[in-house]
Amino acid sequence: MTFSYTQLFAFTEGIFRSMGCPEDDATLATETLLSADLRGIDSHGVARLVGYVRLWEAGRINATPRVGVTYETPSTAVVDGDGGLGLVVGPKAMRVAIEKAQQVGTGWVSVKNSNHFGIAGYHAMLALAHDMIGVAMTNASPLVAPTHSLDRLLGTNPIAVAVPAGEQPDFVVDMATTTAANGKLEIAQRKNLPLPEGWAQTADGQPSTDANAVKNGGALLPLGGATGSHKGYALGSIVDIFSAVLSGANYGPWVPPFVAFLQPSANPVGQGLGHFFGAMRVDAFRPAEEFKAHMDNWITTFRNAQAVEGKKVLIPGDPEREMAAHRLLDGIPLLEAVVQDLEVVGKKFGVKL
């Protein structure tokens, strides 16, 4: 089934307001969440709305947080999300990084006491309007086994970097540090499809194509596969340290799970979930227009690289940008199972889909 962006926005905003979110926060959370659906990252969009509601019902999300800075220098800060929606805490913390960059050239913010913040790319892209390079990371539910391990100690721990260009579309990287994000397993489960090899392992460490492998005690695998997973493991570890060890959030196996039916650790090492944001003013390095002209040249050079037969060379951000343009015109498709979940939660709050 296909829904217009406007229709989904009104519904989602209504749900967040029914949870008790102030109007501005409900609007911000909706914009953040639906940016995933627009960009074709269906695993992190409105399909997750029911998950946020369940966490709120379980008392694990504060709908009216007092998000604030607890420690800072001219270029750095720690932000306490007060248990709020990561969809709200994230953008507010990124604005702190941007404000610091406006003052001193760069801004770096580590966040504690937050929740799942949607797609990392949305937060990194907030810097683009200010002629800044944006960086966003977050740790996540521990579903990933380090190289050679059976234990699930890391999350999918994404990294996003957004770089402004001139006449060319901006350069935007948004990737998990695992071979695939957990949301893609959820999509495979809904569609009753097998996983590609290299995405997951069983509880005893054997490769698996079962979409339920992680549910059954297995683990997601770090980016890099059979011969290079140590690289994904290292990248995921960096995200965990910057997001949580630095801020005072939970890290490693103590990160609270996104699903409400699993309880957080009884002995947490920090507060909530952690994020990390950065903003770098381009003109702190060279004139912004000069930089963007060279970014245009870089992008054009790579896009025009000779491609193998039947393929084309893409620039990071191309597929998502094209998808957003398409879905704004033609609507956002949702799986039947997702629609059913949304209708149930809508009925609970008296909000019509």
Side-chain angles (χ1 to χ4, degrees):
M1 300 177 66
T2 301
F3 298 82
S4 71
Y5 176 77
T6 303
Q7 183 179 3
L8 286 181
F9 197 100
F11 174 79
T12 304
E13 187 179 37
I15 296 298
F16 284 132
R17 291 183 68 175
S18 296
M19 288 167 56
C21 295
E23 186 173 349
D24 288 349
D25 282 4
T27 301
L28 178 57
T30 301
E31 180 181 311
T32 308
L33 185 65
L34 293 188
S35 68
D37 294 292
L38 277 182
R39 294 176 68 78
I41 309 172
D42 298 335
S43 57
H44 285 59
V46 73
R48 292 264 174 138
L49 180 58
V50 175
Y52 293 109
V53 172
R54 288 172 179 161
L55 286 176
W56 171 73
E57 290 174 332
R60 289 173 49 193
I61 285 180
N62 177 7
T64 56
R66 299 183 67 179
V67 181
V69 174
T70 61
Y71 184 86
E72 65 181 326
T73 72
S75 63
T76 66
V78 172
V79 165
D80 186 329
D82 194 25
L85 283 162
L87 304 167
V88 171
V89 176
K92 290 184 177 182
M94 186 61 181
R95 287 174 193 161
V96 174
I98 290 169
E99 288 166 2
K100 288 187 173 293
Q102 288 171 332
Q103 296 298 315
V104 297
T106 67
W108 303 96
V109 174
S110 195
V111 180
K112 64 180 178 179
N113 205 6
S114 186
N115 282 283
H116 191 280
F117 76 176
I119 59 170
Y122 173 84
H123 308 283
M125 291 171 67
L126 292 176
L128 295 174
H130 304 275
D131 277 349
M132 296 183 188
I133 295 170
V135 178
M137 310 177 193
T138 184
N139 65 5
S141 307
L143 299 173
V144 183
T147 303
H148 304 318
S149 176
L150 297 179
D151 293 333
R152 307 195 306 197
L153 299 179
L154 289 172
T156 53
N157 294 11
I159 298 171
V161 178
V163 183
E167 296 181 3
Q168 291 293 320
D170 301 318
F171 175 102
V172 181
V173 171
D174 185 358
M175 65 177 195
T177 53
T178 48
T179 306
N182 184 52
K184 292 188 176 180
L185 270 69
E186 294 170 352
I187 291 173
Q189 290 161 14
R190 294 188 190 109
K191 293 184 176 181
N192 197 27
L193 296 174
L195 302 179
E197 292 183 3
W199 283 23
Q201 68 182 24
T202 61
D204 58 358
Q206 299 303 308
S208 177
T209 59
D210 181 2
N212 294 297
V214 177
K215 277 187 173 182
N216 295 331
L220 290 171
L221 296 176
L223 181 68
T227 59
S229 68
H230 59 288
K231 297 179 181 180
Y233 167 34
L235 288 170
S237 300
I238 289 169
V239 172
D240 203 30
I241 293 166
F242 281 26
S243 298
V245 180
L246 198 57
S247 68
N250 287 292
Y251 49 82
W254 292 278
V255 175
F258 179 74
V259 292
F261 61 82
L262 292 178
Q263 293 300 311
S265 171
N267 300 294
V269 292
Q271 293 178 282
L273 189 141
H275 318 307
F276 184 80
F277 302 104
M280 295 180 282
R281 221 173 64 208
V282 168
D283 66 4
F285 297 87
R286 66 188 299 187
E289 294 307 313
E290 182 180 288
F291 170 83
K292 291 194 289 186
H294 280 280
M295 275 303 301
D296 285 348
N297 186 45
W298 189 97
I299 290 168
T300 301
T301 299
F302 278 73
R303 186 173 281 127
N304 293 338
Q306 185 174 354
V308 298
E309 187 175 353
K311 302 288 185 179
K312 66 176 181 178
V313 179
L314 297 172
I315 302 300
D318 277 352
E320 294 85 356
R321 173 178 51 82
E322 293 169 3
M323 182 64 76
H326 169 72
R327 288 187 168 185
L328 277 173
L329 286 175
D330 298 333
I332 297 169
L334 299 179
L335 295 173
E336 183 178 352
V338 173
V339 175
Q340 291 174 351
D341 284 345
L342 295 179
E343 287 175 339
V344 169
V345 76
K347 186 175 181 180
K348 177 184 297 186
F349 291 112
V351 180
K352 185 174 175 58
L353 180 60

